[in-house]
């Protein structure tokens, strides 16, 4: 694909339809795409711009088959996301995208799928979960392992409950620190890997979370027999352009914006254990 | 040296006395003529309209962390080697507005910056810098998305290269196969020849536009003998190059030494000042800044050159990925000489030596790479 005459840095102003508070520091924007709807593949991200404040990369977390609404779930971590959290229904937000690589959903067909998410890592995986559930018959066992820091930081609570109530999906949730009103699993998300049921000979794993969580989750998955070429993860770096021009997201020879953000462990294993690469 | 001369290129002789005509014909063809001038005790690329604007009789002495312009009394127009600034500043300016957003009744709208593109002539671009343009083309034109500003400017430039007769103390173009003679990527390539009180240029033309310009300046066909004299100038220059870099397997050498102790040692001297990235003709990192007017009714997004030596470059929520100077120095060097190959199929370094000259701590990439290479022998 050669986008000859497109100005890749020109943002498109779109209307916010709905704002939903998820957690004290996390919110969801539902954005009305311009004519024709918004099409993306699970795993991709957009550059979102707040008027006069700045632009940040945010993964798309809605249903890929519902192109009439563009959904982003965002945690407040800096000045741009802070400003974004103050936007209301009817306000305008700038959108460029979608950019980047996707989850291996075609490759996963006919196989068991293990999805591991830590904290705010669940939103980038949700489009993949939607896709799998939309085409449930094409996949084998589906396992979701989710870990949050504590009960109060569990995101998409209702959806997690719905997914857990399905007979064709296995969902395990854990929190790093238990409290009096939590009666579920306690421990980091890696502790859930040994109890997940899947056929390790051909299962595909997809994960998003802090890098340290992903490093240790990989070790657990390898221990369970999933080979590195079947383990996928989404990476995060500073990005100013999203199209491989600004140079910020370089990770050795990879541009995370265009070669990633989704990589197989096999592609990046030599980098994952290098400090400050 | 004959490999450099493709058979279809035309050769002319231009007398130094006719050089003003060359400038006039460039400008007469609608180009903004840019070339070397002397400013602030350095060679600075800027507007040139007269021979008097050129650094006539100046040469430069360059060593690691040292740059001095010197009057040498020579009549040469191009007797210097390289100034600190590269031609990148005209094609990919250090600051540029990307877009303007304006509030409207229904929200706001965004408009791309549509500044008119002026045709530019690059007079005096060196062979290594021609390669730098080829490298930037790979980065900014050949990906999925091309940079519209760079593309608009790049497509209209007239390239008048000047082959090197002198070499600097930090140049290593020969090692990078980028000089000292221009091989491709130019309209005209000049070789300045001063012998027996005579002063003229052998001009190689690769395009019809080049022919037109040089003929307007009263250039006449060159004889084979004159052409070989010009080649001899380049051959002699190549012999003068003292700095060398062994590039064999450098991509893999660095890739397998990402945790080498040398990074930390060198970072002890590195000031992370970002000079090397700012003088580098191929460094392309940019960042984006946002500005609003006082009323908050309009906002601008401006891009400016950035450097991987800053903490902000790798900042994500929670802190910078490359916190230590070691990691930032490693990022820069491994990108130029190793990961660039994976990304674009060519070297990110063209051997111009600017990063060595302008490093206040005299860090020399050729020494650094050799040190890592040598450490593998033991």
């Amino acid at each position: 694909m050669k986008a000859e005459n497109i100005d890749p840095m020109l943002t498109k102003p779109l209307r916010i339809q709905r704002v939903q508070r998820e957690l004290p520091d996390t919110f969801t924007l539902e954005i009305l795409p311009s004519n024709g709807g918004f099409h993306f593949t699970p795993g991709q991200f957009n550059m979102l711009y707040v008027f006069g404040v700045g632009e940040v990369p945010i993964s798309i977390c809605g249903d890929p088959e519902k192109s009439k609404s563009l959904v982003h779930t965002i945690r407040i971590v800096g000045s741009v996301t802070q400003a974004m959290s103050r936007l209301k229904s009817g306000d305008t937000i700038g959108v460029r995208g979608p950019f980047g690589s996707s989850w291996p959903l075609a490759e996963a067909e006919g196989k068991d799928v293990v999805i591991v998410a830590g904290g705010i890592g669940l939103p980038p995986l949700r489009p993949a979960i939607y896709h799998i559930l939309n085409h449930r018959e094409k996949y084998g066992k589906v396992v979701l392992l989710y870990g949050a820091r504590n009960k109060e930081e569990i995101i998409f609570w209702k959806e997690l409950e719905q997914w857990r109530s399905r007979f064709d999906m296995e969902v395990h949730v854990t929190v790093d620190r238990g409290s009096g009103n939590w009666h579920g699993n306690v421990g980091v998300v890696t502790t859930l890997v040994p109890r997940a049921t899947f056929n390790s000979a051909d299962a595909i794993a997809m994960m998003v979370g802090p890098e340290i969580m992903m490093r240790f989750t990989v070790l657990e998955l390898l221990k369970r027999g999933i080979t590195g070429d079947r383990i996928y993860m989404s990476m995060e770096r500073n990005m100013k352009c999203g199209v491989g021009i600004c140079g910020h997201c370089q990770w050795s020879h990879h541009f995370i914006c265009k070669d990633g953000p989704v990589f197989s462990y096999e592609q990046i294993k030599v980098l994952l254990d290098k400090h400050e690469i | 040296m004959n490999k450099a001369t493709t058979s279809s290129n035309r050769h002319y002789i231009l007398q130094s006395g006719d050089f003003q005509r060359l400038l006039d014909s460039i400008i007469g063809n609608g180009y903004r003529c840019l070339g070397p001038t002397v400013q602030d005790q350095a060679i600075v690329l800027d507007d040139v309209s007269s021979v008097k604007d050129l650094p006539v009789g100046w040469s430069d002495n360059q060593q690691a962390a040292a740059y001095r312009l010197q009057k040498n009394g020579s009549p040469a127009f191009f007797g210097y080697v390289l100034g600190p600034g590269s031609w990148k500043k005209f094609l990919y300016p250090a600051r540029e507005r990307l877009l303007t957003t304006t509030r409207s009744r229904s929200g706001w709208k965004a408009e791309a910056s549509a500044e008119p593109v002026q045709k530019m002539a690059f007079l005096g671009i060196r062979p290594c810098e021609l390669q730098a343009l080829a490298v930037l083309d790979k980065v900014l034109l050949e990906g999925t998305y091309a940079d519209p500003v760079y593309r608009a400017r790049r497509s209209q430039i007239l390239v008048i290269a000047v082959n090197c007769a002198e070499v600097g103390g930090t140049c290593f173009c020969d090692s990078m196969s980028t000089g000292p003679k221009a091989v491709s990527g130019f309209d005209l390539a000049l070789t300045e020849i001063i012998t027996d009180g005579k002063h003229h240029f052998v001009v190689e033309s690769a395009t019809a536009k080049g022919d037109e310009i040089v003929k307007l300046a009263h250039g006449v066909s060159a004889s084979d003998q004159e052409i070989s004299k010009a080649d001899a100038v380049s051959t002699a220059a190549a012999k003068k190059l003292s700095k060398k870099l062994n590039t064999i397997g450098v991509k893999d050498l660095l890739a397998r030494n990402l945790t080498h102790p040398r990074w930390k040692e060198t970072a002890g001297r590195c000031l992370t000042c970002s000079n090397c990235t700012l003088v580098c003709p191929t460094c392309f990192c940019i960042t984006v800044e946002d500005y609003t007017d006082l009323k908050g009714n309009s906002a601008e997004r401006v891009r400016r050159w950035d450097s991987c030596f800053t903490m902000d470059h790798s900042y994500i929520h929670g802190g910078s990925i490359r916190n230590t100077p070691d990691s930032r120095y490693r990022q820069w060097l491994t990108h130029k000489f190793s990961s660039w190959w994976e990304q674009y199929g060519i070297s990110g370094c063209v051997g111009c030596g600017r990063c060595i000259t302008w490093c206040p701590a005299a860090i020399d990439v050729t020494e650094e790479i050799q040190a890592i290479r040598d450490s593998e022998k033991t």
Side-chain angles (χ1 to χ4, degrees), chain B residues 10-38:
Chain B
R10 283 76 56 201
H11 290 79
Y12 301 90
I13 296 290
L14 183 73
Q15 297 302 327
S16 62
D18 287 328
F19 207 83
Q20 184 62 46
R21 286 183 207 278
L22 183 76
L23 297 177
D24 293 343
S25 67
I26 293 166
I27 295 163
N29 267 274
Y31 292 97
R32 177 185 174 196
C33 186
L34 297 158
T37 67
V38 177

Side-chain angles (χ1 to χ4, degrees), chain A residues 235-260:
Chain A
M235 299 300 299
E236 182 181 14
R237 285 293 183 272
N238 186 312
M239 289 181 194
K240 300 293 182 200
C241 73
V243 294
I245 285 177
C246 79
H248 282 256
C249 70
Q250 288 179 90
W251 192 32
S252 180
H253 61 280
H254 303 293
F255 286 92
I256 289 186
C257 67
K258 60 174 188 171
D259 304 327

Side-chain angles (χ1 to χ4, degrees), chain A residues 1-15 47 49-56 77-78 80 90-99 120 211 236-255 258-259 270-271 273-277, chain B residues 92 98-99 101-103 106-113 139-148 151 255 258-259 284-288 290-292 296-301 303 306 312-318 320-328 330-331 335 339-340 342-344:
Chain A
M1 181 186 71
K2 180 83 183 172
E4 268 289 346
N5 296 310
I6 294 172
D7 182 347
M9 295 302 278
L10 184 58
T11 194
K12 181 185 273 187
L14 296 176
R15 179 91 49 214
M47 297 297 293
Y49 165 74
V50 182
F51 181 88
V53 181
E55 195 179 48
V56 285
V77 293
V80 179
D91 285 347
T92 303
I93 188 166
V95 178
R96 292 193 293 126
F99 300 125
I120 194 73
E211 251 175 80
E236 182 181 14
R237 285 293 183 272
N238 186 312
M239 289 181 194
K240 300 293 182 200
C241 73
V243 294
I245 285 177
C246 79
H248 282 256
C249 70
Q250 288 179 90
W251 192 32
S252 180
H253 61 280
H254 303 293
F255 286 92
K258 60 174 188 171
D259 304 327
V270 294
L271 300 174
D273 64 349
K274 301 277 187 310
H275 199 49
E276 297 194 327
I277 276 282
Chain B
Y92 204 57
L98 286 171
L99 55 113
T101 49
T102 323
R103 280 200 197 281
S106 60
W108 50 262
K109 53 187 196 299
E111 267 178 289
S113 176
V139 177
L140 297 171
L141 297 181
E142 293 178 20
T144 305
Y145 295 92
D147 184 75
R151 183 178 53 203
L258 293 174
T259 53
F284 59 84
C285 284
I286 51 111
T287 188
V288 179
D290 294 89
Y291 299 91
T292 53
N297 287 331
S298 72
E300 283 186 352
R301 309 211 76 215
R303 76 170 170 209
D306 201 2
D312 275 354
H313 189 276
S314 65
Y315 180 85
I316 56 170
H317 54 91
S320 296
I321 301 282
R322 297 186 200 102
N323 224 347
T324 59
D326 343 351
S327 66
R328 282 175 268 153
R330 175 182 63 186
Q331 166 60 24
H335 187 213
S339 43
W340 211 293
E342 298 271 2
Q343 292 169 342
Y344 303 106

Side-chain angles (χ1 to χ4, degrees), chain B residues 192-259:
Chain B
E192 187 168 25
I193 296 176
I194 302 171
T195 45
D196 313 327
K198 281 187 234 158
H199 183 190
H200 68 269
F201 292 84
V202 174
V203 183
E204 181 179 352
S205 173
T207 63
K209 191 84 208 162
D211 292 327
E212 187 191 331
I213 300 273
V214 74
K215 281 177 186 163
L216 279 170
H218 296 191
V220 294
S221 274
S223 68
D224 287 351
Q225 199 187 356
E226 285 163 325
I227 296 168
S228 48
K229 262 191 192 164
D231 288 343
V233 169
S234 299
T235 312
K239 285 192 183 133
K240 282 190 253 180
L241 281 162
S242 54
K243 196 164 284 300
K244 304 276 178 209
L245 173 66
N246 177 0
T247 58
I248 297 168
V250 66
K251 169 175 157 283
D252 297 329
L253 172 77
L254 295 180
R256 65 174 175 263
N257 281 293
L258 293 174
T259 53

Side-chain angles (χ1 to χ4, degrees), chain A residues 39-80:
Chain A
H39 301 275
F40 72 101
T41 51
Q44 290 192 298
F45 67 94
N46 279 325
M47 297 297 293
L48 298 184
Y49 165 74
V50 182
F51 181 88
V53 181
E55 195 179 48
V56 285
I58 305 281
S59 58
I60 306 167
C61 75
D63 186 334
E65 278 158 50
K66 291 181 182 158
S67 66
K68 299 289 175 222
S69 183
L70 168 63
V71 182
H72 285 284
T73 294
I74 302 156
R75 175 176 281 177
I76 301 169
V77 293
S79 55
V80 179

